[in-house]
Amino acid sequence: MLRERYAHQIGGLRDDLLRMGSMVEQALLRALKALDHWDTAMAAQVISDDSRIDEVWRSLEERTIMLLATQQPIVASDLRLCTVVTAIAGELERIGDYANAIARRVRSATKRPALLPPPPQIQEMAELTLQMVHTSLEAFLHQDVDLAHSLTASDERVDELEDRLRAEIIANAKRDPDCFEAAIDMIDVVHALERSADRATNIGERVIYLVTSSIETIN
């Protein structure tokens, strides 16, 4: 009976982590849609929903600590799962923060006298970042090491796009000083996307550790 309850708790941690991942994916998607359309209502929703992501994160951490404290002895594979769940939840919480930051930039940008339209390549960067977050969660769901490794190529492309976009945005700001503050907003958006992509690769590394017990750097 106790082991059944233990198995149920372990499964609950896994399920709630995936639920948190879905919430974070939606937050990032909505933040990017808000940016695309300068939609302040959608941006406000992302900002409001961030507290729900934080609540799930705190709950996962508390339940994992309680499980480790009360279920002894615990097998090595479950111990890895518990530590990985906590680590991935932390990475997802940070991606949620980056979505929140993008939404806040949208809200502040619309109050400025001049808007700087997102450069075309920011769409590719946004799609890649969203794909990486989704892929990292799929890798966790299926414990797929190859899928986790596939994040490396995408991360390299995101880094390339960040460098190009940063240079382009700065060049535009130099040509039109009235757009300087708007350029700062856009640079912060690009940075948030790059950091989200890095967090996705961190999740991939945790998946590799979960499956293989090996610590590996993929970004």
Side-chain angles (χ1 to χ4, degrees), residues 179-218:
C179 289
F180 179 78
E181 288 185 330
I184 296 298
D185 289 331
M186 202 57 63
I187 285 174
D188 272 2
V189 168
V190 169
H191 176 70
L193 287 172
E194 187 274 333
R195 294 304 300 146
S196 296
D198 276 352
R199 297 287 177 172
T201 61
N202 290 349
I203 293 172
E205 290 171 2
R206 298 295 182 173
V207 171
I208 293 169
Y209 169 71
L210 175 63
V211 177
T212 69
S213 304
S214 300
I215 298 173
E216 186 175 338
T217 300
I218 62 173

Side-chain angles (χ1 to χ4, degrees), residues 27-37 102 126-127 130 189 193:
L28 190 55
L29 178 62
R30 287 176 183 150
L32 292 167
K33 283 185 177 178
L35 174 68
D36 195 35
H37 301 289
I102 292 170
E127 288 175 0
L130 282 166
V189 168
L193 287 172

Side-chain angles (χ1 to χ4, degrees), residues 25-219:
E25 281 190 86
Q26 285 300 311
L28 190 55
L29 178 62
R30 287 176 183 150
L32 292 167
K33 283 185 177 178
L35 174 68
D36 195 35
H37 301 289
W38 299 114
D39 188 333
T40 55
M42 187 172 288
Q45 187 63 54
V46 173
I47 295 165
S48 174
D49 288 346
D50 188 55
S51 60
R52 293 175 55 233
I53 293 173
D54 290 344
E55 286 173 9
V56 176
W57 171 52
R58 283 191 290 269
S59 173
L60 275 167
E61 286 209 322
E62 289 169 3
R63 285 159 54 206
T64 303
I65 291 169
M66 183 64 68
L67 189 64
L68 289 171
T70 59
Q71 295 292 337
Q72 297 294 336
I74 187 168
V75 297
S77 60
D78 288 344
L79 178 60
R80 285 200 306 276
L81 177 63
C82 287
T83 57
V84 164
V85 163
T86 302
I88 292 178
E91 301 292 352
L92 288 172
E93 190 275 336
R94 291 301 298 146
I95 296 172
D97 283 348
Y98 294 130
N100 186 22
I102 292 170
R104 289 182 182 279
R105 283 296 177 179
V106 169
R107 193 169 64 176
S108 62
T110 55
K111 298 175 183 178
R112 303 201 188 285
L115 280 171
L116 184 65
Q121 282 188 310
I122 207 168
Q123 184 65 32
E124 180 187 352
M125 189 180 187
E127 288 175 0
L128 267 175
T129 301
L130 282 166
Q131 177 192 346
M132 288 178 68
V133 173
H134 184 74
T135 297
S136 70
L137 292 168
E138 284 290 303
F140 171 75
L141 174 62
H142 301 292
Q143 297 193 17
D144 189 328
V145 171
D146 290 337
L147 202 54
H149 278 125
S150 74
L151 293 163
T152 300
S154 297
D155 188 54
E156 290 172 354
R157 177 59 179 163
V158 167
D159 289 344
E160 290 174 8
L161 288 167
E162 182 196 21
D163 291 340
R164 292 185 190 179
L165 284 163
R166 188 183 293 273
E168 182 179 342
I169 293 165
I170 291 171
N172 288 340
K174 287 179 178 177
R175 284 193 295 269
D176 185 359
D178 290 340
C179 289
F180 179 78
E181 288 185 330
I184 296 298
D185 289 331
M186 202 57 63
I187 285 174
D188 272 2
V189 168
V190 169
H191 176 70
L193 287 172
E194 187 274 333
R195 294 304 300 146
S196 296
D198 276 352
R199 297 287 177 172
T201 61
N202 290 349
I203 293 172
E205 290 171 2
R206 298 295 182 173
V207 171
I208 293 169
Y209 169 71
L210 175 63
V211 177
T212 69
S213 304
S214 300
I215 298 173
E216 186 175 338
T217 300
I218 62 173
N219 66 348

Side-chain angles (χ1 to χ4, degrees), residues 7-18:
H8 179 73
Q9 289 174 316
I10 287 283
L13 290 177
R14 185 188 296 107
D15 292 345
D16 283 353
L17 181 66
L18 291 168

